[in-house]
Amino acid sequence: MPNGVRGALVQRVSARPDGPLDVTWLAAESPRIALGHIRLRWEPASPAGWDVTAHLGLATAEVHLASWPAAPDDWPRLVRPTLHEVLGLSAALAVATAALDLTNRLAQV
């Protein structure tokens, strides 16, 4: 991880089981993450591996999504399925919310 970085913002998660996680590095003093975004943080675990945590940005808060204590060195493969599902659910909720908002506006016309 580059100096001054404390985590990464997940940009895209491949649907392939061996696919990549596309991330943007986050500075140590980064603001709260936006709605539907996921932030990953990791640090060395004792005695081996990595302690990985994921947080999800909601409309009014940031919530703990998952933890993978003492994950092996290939931890991105371990966390990828969870991140892929959560981003898919978040996108579906965004579409459903937009459709509901549109329906409500049309009903008021």
Side-chain angles (χ1 to χ4, degrees):
M1 196 172 351
N3 289 335
V5 170
R6 301 300 280 159
L9 182 65
V10 177
Q11 298 295 330
R12 187 182 71 85
V13 178
S14 172
R16 293 188 348 249
D18 60 343
L21 296 176
D22 293 339
V23 300
T24 301
W25 297 117
L26 290 175
E29 300 298 324
S30 60
R32 189 171 70 82
I33 54 177
L35 174 65
H37 287 88
I38 297 174
R39 181 183 63 220
L40 290 173
R41 289 191 183 203
W42 58 93
E43 55 189 48
S46 179
W50 301 89
D51 289 335
V52 182
T53 59
H55 287 83
L56 174 65
L58 298 179
T60 59
E62 192 175 299
V63 297
H64 180 259
L65 175 63
S67 292
W68 295 270
D73 284 340
D74 67 343
W75 64 261
R77 293 178 63 118
L78 176 68
V79 305
R80 194 209 57 78
T82 300
L83 301 181
H84 185 262
E85 289 179 11
V86 169
L87 288 175
L89 288 171
S90 183
L93 285 172
V95 169
T97 300
L100 184 58
D101 289 345
L102 178 61
T103 302
N104 287 335
R105 277 188 300 225
L106 291 174
Q108 294 174 355
V109 173

